[in-house]
Amino acid sequence: MTEEAASTTCSARGCGNAATWALRWNNPKIHTPDRRKTWLACDEHKAGLSDFLDRRSFLREVEPFT
Ligand SMILES: [Zn+2]
């Protein structure tokens, strides 16, 4: 558990909504395979953010965030 964002709001640019989803992702070019970066997303931005990561094959897990 390193580099977890202290913030609990959505990671989408300009969005201040409380996050309800945690998108765990990994960029194989710069991260070791077991490394996870986290983006937080509100319901509104979950699809857009996970799409963005999925298109780059970065998305690993999507978990509810409370
Ligand atoms: Zn949002």
Side-chain angles (χ1 to χ4, degrees):
M1 298 296 276
T2 56
E3 294 188 29
E4 290 292 312
S7 167
T8 57
T9 54
C10 177
S11 301
R13 200 176 298 262
C15 179
N17 291 338
T20 48
W21 298 96
L23 312 177
R24 313 284 185 195
W25 62 276
N26 172 284
N27 180 348
K29 289 200 177 104
I30 57 174
H31 300 133
T32 53
D34 59 340
R35 181 86 178 276
R36 289 293 180 273
K37 301 291 285 181
T38 301
W39 277 358
L40 298 177
C42 65
D43 282 341
E44 190 182 335
H45 290 115
K46 176 191 176 226
L49 290 173
S50 59
D51 248 38
F52 178 92
L53 293 169
D54 199 35
R55 265 185 272 123
R56 287 157 181 79
S57 303
F58 290 175
L59 189 61
R60 294 299 180 268
E61 295 104 27
V62 178
E63 301 164 348
F65 180 82
T66 50

